[in-house]
Amino acid sequence: MGIPTDRRPPRVLLVEDEAGLADSVKYSLESEGFEVTVTATGVDGLESARAGGVDLVILDLMLPEMSGLDVCRQIRAFSDVPIIMLTAKDSEADKVAGLELGADDYMTKPFSMRELIARVRAHLRRSTRGGVLGDSNEVLRGGPIELDIDAHETRVNGREVSLRPKEFDLLESLMRRKNRLAARHTLIDEVWGSSYFGDTKTLDVHIKRLREKLEDDSSNPRHIVTVRGLGYKFVDE
Ligand code: CA
């Protein structure tokens, strides 16, 4: 699996204060052709992210001074760059908080480098795909919701709603199966990639965010409905 040679190497920003772990992640990514910038504090990480040219961020949650959650929130204020969080084994609350703040994924320490690299690749594939303009001008419609695939725009009753890349991909997967079951594993494959081994709670958090942005009453959704035990369904009414 090579990286396209007609482009600069993908640049990964790693924010991690554990020097040993940072070194081994940097080494593994560099040997796969990525360019890696490491910062040991959230403040420096944020500064690197602001400087631009970063294609993906790997962000440790437990950082001195400014926490990873704060870094994540602040990056999301100016960028949609994919963010993979690194969390300690039993910090369930942190994972959910991180996803709600806009992280795309998380990995629990200790993790395998192979898995990390697979996820980095999957997130980069997804985030560049949206940037390629086609000429089909495809628009998916369901109820008051419109998804303009090429313009990468979402509208509810004609009003534009801002979705993050993963939210957009998830809504697209749901709307392509309008009024049919979208199984959990199908959604995870399509949105996060078949190499995704993470907690499926990630899916539920993204569904929750979509409902908050698209539904009149997100606690009583009419369009993005749960099919208990199986997945979700986009209902066109
Ligand atoms: Ca740490």
Side-chain angles (χ1 to χ4, degrees):
M1 285 222 297
I3 286 163
T5 51
D6 56 332
R7 302 179 50 208
R8 65 171 174 79
R11 200 168 298 147
V12 174
L13 170 62
L14 170 63
V15 188
E16 169 62 80
D17 60 316
E18 257 172 80
L21 180 60
D23 283 349
S24 61
V25 170
K26 180 175 160 66
Y27 175 81
S28 302
L29 286 169
E30 283 179 347
S31 61
E32 296 287 326
F34 295 92
E35 215 170 86
V36 184
T37 303
V38 179
T39 69
T41 69
V43 174
D44 290 345
L46 201 52
E47 196 173 300
S48 293
R50 273 191 213 285
V54 171
D55 299 303
L56 182 139
V57 178
I58 301 174
L59 177 60
D60 184 30
L61 277 198
M62 294 290 284
L63 293 166
E65 296 160 45
M66 183 191 289
S67 84
L69 290 178
D70 287 332
V71 178
C72 182
R73 182 190 302 117
Q74 294 199 36
I75 289 176
R76 274 294 170 259
F78 62 86
S79 171
D80 277 332
V81 66
I83 299 177
I84 300 176
M85 301 185 307
L86 304 180
T87 71
K89 203 177 178 62
D90 39 8
S91 56
E92 201 62 27
D94 279 351
K95 291 170 193 168
V96 174
L99 292 171
E100 287 184 341
L101 288 175
D104 296 284
D105 198 359
Y106 62 81
M107 297 197 62
T108 303
K109 294 179 183 179
F111 50 82
S112 87
M113 289 301 162
R114 288 209 65 74
E115 186 183 333
L116 177 64
I117 287 163
R119 292 214 208 161
V120 166
R121 285 192 200 286
H123 284 284
L124 286 172
R125 263 198 306 277
R126 301 299 299 188
S127 68
T128 50
R129 199 205 61 168
V132 180
L133 281 177
D135 53 6
S136 57
N137 198 27
E138 186 180 12
V139 179
L140 304 179
R141 292 188 176 83
I145 300 165
E146 278 184 355
L147 198 63
D148 187 326
I149 301 297
D150 298 318
H152 224 256
E153 285 174 5
T154 312
R155 290 178 287 272
V156 179
N157 292 315
R159 198 166 342 126
E160 192 169 349
V161 174
S162 163
L163 296 187
R164 299 207 184 93
K166 285 280 178 279
E167 295 166 358
F168 189 94
D169 292 344
L170 178 55
L171 183 59
E172 179 183 345
S173 289
L174 287 164
M175 290 184 79
R176 288 196 186 283
R177 297 181 177 72
K178 207 158 61 177
N179 302 319
R180 288 182 287 143
L181 168 70
R184 297 182 65 86
H185 65 86
T186 306
L187 293 171
I188 290 169
D189 274 8
E190 288 189 0
V191 178
W192 284 273
S194 53
S195 56
Y196 185 80
F197 304 112
D199 194 318
T200 58
K201 192 174 283 118
T202 304
L203 171 62
D204 303 311
V205 172
H206 280 74
I207 289 281
K208 179 165 175 274
R209 289 209 302 239
L210 276 180
R211 285 172 171 162
E212 285 166 359
K213 290 182 177 181
L214 304 174
E215 299 273 2
D216 285 340
D217 176 4
S218 64
S219 57
N220 194 10
R222 289 174 58 196
H223 302 293
I224 301 173
V225 302
T226 303
V227 182
R228 197 165 293 280
L230 297 174
Y232 295 95
K233 185 196 283 188
F234 186 93
V235 177
D236 180 17
E237 62 169 49

